[in-house]
Amino acid sequence: RHAYPSNFFDFISKIAHPKTWFQQVALDLKGSEVAISGSTESFTTLGQQLFILEQEPLIKDFTLSSLLIGKKGKVDFSFNITLDPSLFKGGR
């Protein structure tokens, strides 16, 4: 079976909060897992992004693995996401 990693990038662009910036993405297709780090302008915005992730049915689990105040008061974060493997099947 052929996996389509490009499906993930279409997917993440649809569920990204407009004030959240993802800077690093490590995708494990076999395990349907992704590690993402990025920044946002406030804890409120980060909370909104986490709520979006929580509501998404293709996300099976996620954990916030790091959180710190970054440059200019932005909030830097990392989280790990377990995705439904169906996300990578077939071109979208």
Side-chain angles (χ1 to χ4, degrees):
R1 293 203 154 229
H2 187 75
Y4 294 87
S6 60
N7 290 355
F8 170 76
F9 295 103
D10 292 340
F11 169 74
I12 200 71
S13 69
K14 290 176 185 156
I15 64 164
H17 189 284
K19 294 183 179 175
T20 297
W21 300 273
F22 298 130
Q23 288 134 347
Q24 282 193 309
V25 175
L27 188 56
D28 170 14
L29 290 175
K30 278 191 176 185
S32 298
E33 295 175 343
V34 62
I36 297 178
S37 63
S39 65
T40 189
E41 42 183 56
S42 68
F43 285 108
T44 300
T45 306
L46 179 60
Q48 292 167 348
Q49 178 64 73
L50 294 174
F51 181 75
I52 292 167
L53 298 177
E54 194 173 77
Q55 300 304 305
E56 174 52 54
L58 288 172
I59 294 177
K60 297 304 175 192
D61 190 33
F62 71 90
T63 55
L64 184 63
S65 55
S66 74
L67 180 65
L68 55 100
I69 303 296
K71 294 177 184 171
K72 300 179 184 171
K74 292 195 185 297
V75 178
D76 294 337
F77 61 84
S78 296
F79 44 77
N80 300 313
I81 300 173
T82 303
L83 297 162
D84 186 317
S86 70
L87 178 66
F88 302 107
K89 293 187 173 128
R92 293 192 182 210

